[in-house]
């Protein structure tokens, strides 16, 4: 059983993916971590994120054991990831790891931008999670506030819009809803309601 959950930043897809995986006892892969780790490794080696050859070398030498690095969290790491993610050879280098993960028995949940379209086009369940940019910015802003970080809401919104445009505007494997994916708009939905909707969909697929 392969469950593909795609969507933009702060849509709630990561939280949903983890909860769904836990509920069904499936493995879970946050594929954004792969791109975040590539960007981290490029920067650590002293190269610019736009350096195609440095990014390709980092992607080919990626160590999955480093995916729980706290340096991969946060919006700066996400923005950096979005830059290296535009490079087609970087994306190609990360495909095998993601596809092998997806085949883990008894099932796997992968969340990202191109899971339903490119990584696992044959996934059993595909969901595209979204919410308006304003609501996503508000969620991020609330997280920042809770941590005591001072950042203007307008800045958070502008960052989200830039990231959306970069991820959906790239020619190679852009963020997109697969034709056979269910659209889940979480703008006015609690995480509980979104979770129930996804679990219901999967149960209908698995059967009684
Ligand atoms: O999901 P995230 O915010 O951790 O992702 C960070 C960036 O990585 C995202 O802005 C674009 C890129 N990404 C991608 O291109 N394809 C994926 N499947 C996952 C992430």
């Amino acid at each position: 059983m392969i469950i593909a959950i795609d969507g933009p930043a702060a849509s709630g897809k990561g939280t949903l993916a983890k909860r769904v995986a836990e509920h069904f006892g499936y493995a879970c892969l946050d594929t954004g971590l792969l791109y975040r780790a590539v960007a981290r490794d490029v920067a650590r080696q002293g190269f610019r994120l736009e350096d195609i050859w440095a990014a390709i070398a980092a992607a080919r030498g990626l160590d999955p054991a480093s995916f729980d690095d706290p340096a991969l969290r946060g919006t700066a790491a996400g923005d950096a990831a979005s830059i290296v993610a535009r490079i087609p050879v970087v994306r190609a280098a990360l495909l095998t790891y993601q596809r092998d993960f997806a085949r883990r028995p008894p099932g796997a949940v992968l969340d990202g931008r191109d899971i339903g379209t490119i990584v696992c086009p044959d996934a059993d369940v595909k969901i595209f999670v979204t919410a308006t940019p304003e609501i996503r910015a508000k969620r991020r802003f609330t997280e920042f506030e809770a941590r005591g970080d001072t950042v203007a809401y307008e800045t958070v919104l502008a960052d989200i819009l830039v990231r959306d445009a970069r991820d959906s505007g790239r020619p190679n494997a852009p963020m997109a809803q697969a034709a056979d994916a269910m659209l889940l708009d979480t703008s006015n939905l609690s995480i509980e309601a979104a979770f129930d909707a996804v679990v219901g969909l999967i149960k209908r697929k698995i059967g009684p």
Side-chain angles (χ1 to χ4, degrees), residues 107-127:
V109 183
L110 283 80
D111 78 85
R113 304 290 188 289
D114 63 338
I115 308 303
T117 50
I118 306 286
V119 179
C120 302
D122 298 328
D124 301 280
V125 177
K126 297 183 188 180
I127 298 150

Side-chain angles (χ1 to χ4, degrees), residues 13 31-32 35-36 78 81-82 85 91 112-114 163 167 170:
K13 66 182 186 329
T31 62
Y35 296 93
R36 287 170 181 252
S82 163
R91 306 197 68 85
R113 304 290 188 289
D114 63 338
R163 179 105 76 96
D167 291 345
R170 65 181 174 228

